[in-house]
Every structure is written in C-alpha cells, then in structure tokens.
Amino acid sequence: MKYLTLRPAAATLACLGALHAQADDQTLPAVTIESPAMPAPRAQPGHTMESVTAQQAAQTINAINTEDLLKYQPSILLRKRYIGDTQAPMATRTTGINASARSLVYVDGILLSALVNNNNQNGSPQWFMVSPGEIERIDTLYGPYSAAYPGNSYGAVTEITTRQPTGFEADARVSLASQNFSLYGQSDRYPATQASVSLGDRSGPWSWRMAFQHLNSFSQPVTYLTATQSSQPAGAATAISGAIRDRNRAGAPIQILGAASLTHTVQDSATLKLIYDLPAGVRAAYTLGYWQNNAQGTASSFLRDGNGQPYYGAATGSVALNGNTYSAATLRGLFSATITEQTHWVQGASLRSSREQAFTWEVHASDFSYGKDLTRTSTGAYGRPDAPGRMTDASGTGWSTLDFSGGWRAPAGARHRLTFGAHLDRYRLDSPTYATAQWENGAAGARTGDARGSTLTQALWLQDVWQIAPSLTASAGGRYERWRAYDGYNLSSTASGALFPIDQPNVRHAGFSPRFSLAWQALPQWSATASLARALRFPTVGELYQSIQTGTTSTQANPFLKPEEVRSAELALERSNTDGRLRLSLFGELVDDALVAQTSTIAGIALPLSFVQNLDRTRQRGIEVVAEQRNVWARGLDLSASMTYVDAKIVANSSYAPTAAGATSVGKRTPYVPAWRATAVATWRPDERWSHTLAARYSSRVYATVDNTDINPATYQGFQGYLVLDARVQYKHDRHWTVAAGVDNINNRKYFLFHPFPQRTVFAELRYRY
C-alpha cells in the first residue's frame, strides 16, 4: 500500500520540479483557444478554483456522461458505477460519496443537485440533463467562501457553462464502450453505445441551441447477494452447489450466492436553449430540458441444484450450502428484479443586464420536476412476471429556485465592488410504496409505506470586494438564511406489520454565515489567499422524513435534525508563469452536528436500526498540492498532477450506540473520507492533429462506519484503495472530423467502493463538427 501511495506522489513531485526548472520568460508557442477562460459566475477573488475546458476534455478524457469530465479534477471523486449510472454523487476534499447535499452542481445557473436527500441514491445530481457535447467549460470552486452560495457549498461547487453559438454550427458524435468484467468466477462483457447531435445558430439578437442524446448501456453486477454464515450442520437438507465462501466488511464469514442489479438502461435526453438580446445590453434566456430512462435490473444465481439448473430458493424447506443449513425461503427473498421508468423535466429562465454597466442585475428562476419516477420490484419467486411485488412512486418530487442578484462597481479610482442578492427555494419529496399482485405491470394495491414532505429556504446575501492596496484585496460578506420543513408525513409499520401514519411536526431554523478572504499578490508570479467562513447546511427532506419499516428496511424518520454548522478555513499559496503553475493549499474544517447515518436502538424494537443522526463534531484538516506544466522537456508535452492528504477525525459523538463491546467512534476516521487521493495526467501533442494522454487516479481506502469496524475492505460493501491507469488518443483529420480511442483502468484493478467498480473498459469515438 505504501508503494501505491508513492506513485502518484512521485508524479506530483516531477511536475513540481519541472515547474521550477522552466525559465520564467520562456516564450509560448501559438495556442488555439476555443473559449476565453472566464471565471465561474459567482467566484470571488481568492476563491480556489480548478477548471476544465471542452478542448482539454476532448483530448484527455474518455467521456460518455457529463460527470466523466471531472475525472481528473483535484480532490474530486465521482461515484460512477457504470456508464449511464443515475446515482453518481460527487465527493470532495472533506466530504464522502454518500453526502451529495454537501456539494452543488449548476448548469448555466440551473441547479442540478437533488437536494431532496443527502445520499448516493435519489440525492445524486441530475448530470444527465446536460450532455458532454453541449459543455464549453466546467469550473469547480472549493469551500464555502462565497456568500452567493448556500451552505451546501462547503464541499465544492461545480458550475457547468454550455456553449452558445455565434453562427450556424452542428455537432454529431457516436461513442462506443465495452467492459470486460470478471469476479467470483463469473466473466462477461458489458457494452454501451451513445449517439448525440447538437445544432445551433445566431441571427441578429436571437441565438438558439438544441441537443439530443441517446444512450444504451449494460452494467456489470452492481450488487452481490450474500447470506450470513450458518452454524447449523447440513444434516438431511438438500445440497445446493455454487455458493462461494467469503467474509463481509466486518470480517465475519458469509456465503456469496449470486450477482444482482445487472442493469440495462436506455436513456434519451433533449435540451433547447434560447437567448434574446434586448436593447441596452439586457439579455433574456430560456432553457428546457427533458430526460427519460427505462432500466431493467436482473439477478444471476451462482447456485445450482442437483440437475445443474440455477437455483433461486423456494417457498419452504431447507437447503445445504457448503455443509451448513439455510432457509430456502430466506434465499428466495434475496433474488429480485426491478423495472424503472423515469421522465424528468427542467426549465430555467433568466434576465440580466449588461456586464459593462456600473450597476448590474440578474434574475434567475428554475424548476425541476419528476414527471414520472416509478420503480417496480419483484418480491415473489424470481423470474415469474406474475409474481407479486412492490411499487415505489417518486412522481411529484422536485424543486424550484428563484434568485435575484445585483452588483455595483464604484467609479474609476474607487476601491469597492459590491454584490448582493436574494434567494428562495422549495424542495418536495413524494415517495409512497404500494404492494402489487403482478410486479411487472400490475396496478398499485394497498400502500405499504410513505415518506413525503417539503422544505423552504429564504436567504439574503451581501459581499464587498475591497482593493485595500494594488497588491492586497479583501472580500467580506455574509448570508442570512431562514429555513423550515413542513408537511412531513410517514406511513410506517410495526414489528408485527401493522401500519400507522405519522404527521411529523414542522421545524424551523435560521442563521447568519459570515465569509471573509484576503488575497495578496506578493510578486507578479506569487500570490497568497487566506479564507474563513461559517456555513449552515440544512437537513434535506429525505434526512428528515425517511420512514421505518422493520423487517424490510432499517431507517427511522427524525424530523428534529439540526443543521450542520461548518467552520472552514484555507490558506492557498500559488506560483504561476507563462507555462505552468503550482498551488499549495492548507485547509481545515470543523463540522458541528454533522448529519451521519449511525446505528442505534429505538424503544420497543429489539434490534439496532440505522438512521440519520446529528454527530456532535468532526474535524477535517489537510493539504492539497496541484501542479501544471506545459512543454515539459519537449514542445507539446504537458503534465499535471494533484495530491491531497486529509486527517479526518470524529471528535465527539454522544449519540453513538456501540456495535460491539468496547467499540467507540471518538478518534476514528470520519466515514467515507480517504486519507490520500491523487491524480496525474500526461498529454503529448506532437502536432496539431494528434494528442496522446496517459493518466492515473489513486485513492487510499476509506471506512464506512463511524467506529471503523469495517476492517475488511476487499469485499462487497467494503471500500478499497485503488490505483487505475487510463489512456486516450485523439486524431483530428480536419476541421470537421475527429476520431478517438482509449482505455480506462488499463491495469484492470478490481476494487470495491461498496459496489464493484468498472474493470478494464475500452472506448471509441467518432465526431463531426460543422
């Protein structure tokens, strides 16, 4: 493991040495830039930011989905399990892959973050509402240091800017991918194809762009079916072969019975964007987005009966697996199939003044709605379409936002630039569950559970940038927020299966979050920035109103959750010249009342249950090094690398319920935050047509439990460290045609991040631009 840690570090050090070895006055070769390097719309002076442009991404990244474009950003990890995965949250320096509400994702000012939950499922960003071909650039801002963003920004903010045409343009591309996956003795190939087209034009004050995308993808097994090791001897029970002995993440023996969640997904998306330039520099814009998904999840049994046929359990009786007895009905309950049908819509409208005026303003409204979001799951005998099942209907879930912002630039010679704004948002979660007599196409029967509710946030913010001296700039501001949760409702069941409704109480919180930064341009090539901020991250609807169903799920509604209170600091030093840059960031973070899923007991229920609870305090502190150097050793060879170390600890946790005698959570690592993370990218452009890229991604292992009792990461539900290597070659035949090919995970690293992650995958792409 130490050897793996040093390899990304060595790449980083190589870049640092190359950076200092270059002469500061070295002449740059001619470079074609597709778009100006504009800052993120709401970035503040001194705000640490990393960016990737469409041109950079096309040359270096095997990208099919939008989240792929962030693959090599410093300290960023996207939990993407397969091509077309709709559950791909973003992890940052100090936040994990199960904390989607601790970061924000926007496209042209429209919120794609699903702040209806804080998890890696229905709280994941809606990346699929924008295709890679539409994107001009992506900017990532680290930390909650701009008052223009809510406290959810304390991990990072990703601002996606799409391309707007200046004349007629057309773009068409076809991408192919194929993954060879092998684990637990099972091997298969899983393909994916994608086709996309975009058209746009500008005529007088009007400009427009339309984009269409179609994806057909097959995933590797996303989950595995396991049974706790039985202590009962086989006796006369019927022998079933094929079970694989293993250990779970706590080190206890288990049996691997089969693979599940092999997902075939067919997705279509369409986007329309209109812009009209009014007199006096006022610009109006409207965006309409549509996405649909039809996905089928199946299972594969490793078990075989006496005739060599796949075995999926039975309604009664017992069977013998590897010499021990198991309930046939329990085994049958593990195998299930799913059908998911989703149709999501997004709309955004904005009106803004000219950027050149002394006083500027902008109004932006957006609405995201789940027109249809239905998942059917079989609960009877596997493989029978007439078997019973359950239906979970999230239709009606969605969110709306309204923002007003203004700016005032002082007259020439003055030293202040003032920005301010107001914000309103509403989130709604609807998630009833029904029984159905026929799981594939039966009508909804009796409700078996329900979880619903809403949150509303109102905010005012103000920020002033003060040029204290030619080399010294201060930014000070704050954000005041009022938040409430209401209409909370749960339909839950007792241990005996009896249903009971709960009308949850309304909850309110309010608070002020100051932000401050000081930027010093010490020398033309050296700068330093110090930033401090307090941020409030309010609970999501899902954290407040997840309902409990004992015996099937183990979640408990907790409408009295308090907001996370974050105190964040960063000191960033940067050296840059005409051919590269080096940045060193020292950061620290204290989170009081951190919202984390823990295991505890509930009065009247014998077994411990898992639910979201406020953890008293966590502390994260670390260092991040980022280096870029162009024309290293030879013209056209570019290197970039990043390395992040985080010391993440639980400081206090008075609500902890021990899972084993003597266990504790205090002093343990914060769940889901790795100690080390690194990237390295080398790109060689021998001429204007060819580009060759070799890249590496590394992460150390993480813990998923607050007491760090998951001691065995190399298994399903464990979280392993990994080092994967990627490669890409692009050839531009002429100004219209481009072809590319690549491989992700060349070294075929097999690893788990709870789920088994993709193994070696090859890519091919053909693109036409007019």
Side-chain angles (χ1 to χ4, degrees), residues 572-651:
L573 306 174
E574 184 164 336
R575 183 185 188 273
S576 60
N577 58 27
T578 54
D579 250 8
R581 68 185 181 101
L582 165 67
R583 174 172 61 80
L584 171 67
S585 291
L586 305 174
F587 56 88
E589 176 184 274
L590 287 176
V591 182
D592 290 339
D593 295 319
L595 291 166
V596 177
Q598 298 189 78
T599 299
S600 186
T601 57
I602 299 174
I605 300 177
L607 297 176
L609 300 173
S610 179
F611 55 98
V612 177
Q613 210 168 18
N614 285 111
L615 192 153
D616 296 338
R617 174 173 290 184
T618 65
R619 184 216 65 212
Q620 290 70 237
R621 58 190 180 192
I623 180 171
E624 180 182 77
V625 181
V626 178
E628 295 178 355
Q629 184 65 35
R630 292 176 288 276
N631 302 313
V632 179
W633 302 310
R635 194 177 187 129
L637 177 60
D638 298 346
L639 299 181
S640 65
S642 69
M643 183 172 62
T644 306
Y645 169 75
V646 184
D647 177 27
K649 299 291 185 183
I650 297 173
V651 178

Side-chain angles (χ1 to χ4, degrees), residues 231-251:
S231 60
Q232 184 178 355
T238 302
I240 299 294
S241 63
I244 301 172
R245 292 186 176 94
D246 201 354
R247 292 186 177 272
N248 65 17
R249 67 185 188 185

Side-chain angles (χ1 to χ4, degrees), residues 26 46 129 153 318 351 392 414 461 463 474 535 543 557 615 657 665 671:
Q26 183 175 357
M129 278 299 183
S153 65
S318 298
L351 193 66
T392 301
W461 61 271
Q463 193 145 306
E543 289 172 299
L615 192 153
S665 63

Side-chain angles (χ1 to χ4, degrees), residues 244-313:
I244 301 172
R245 292 186 176 94
D246 201 354
R247 292 186 177 272
N248 65 17
R249 67 185 188 185
I254 57 173
Q255 301 285 339
I256 307 293
L257 310 179
S261 302
L262 291 107
T263 305
H264 176 208
T265 179
V266 178
Q267 301 178 19
D268 294 285
S269 64
T271 305
L272 170 66
K273 185 173 182 180
L274 303 173
I275 292 181
Y276 184 73
D277 291 322
L278 298 161
V282 176
R283 170 168 287 189
Y286 172 75
T287 300
L288 175 65
Y290 162 84
W291 172 79
Q292 74 84 28
N293 176 39
N294 287 291
Q296 295 184 345
T298 58
S300 174
S301 178
F302 297 167
L303 305 179
R304 294 294 182 269
D305 61 19
N307 298 318
Q309 297 301 307
Y311 180 75
Y312 295 95

Side-chain angles (χ1 to χ4, degrees), residues 509-529:
H509 290 284
F512 178 73
S513 301
R515 321 282 170 93
F516 176 79
S517 65
L518 186 65
W520 178 36
Q521 191 70 42
L523 294 169
Q525 296 172 348
W526 286 93
S527 64
T529 304

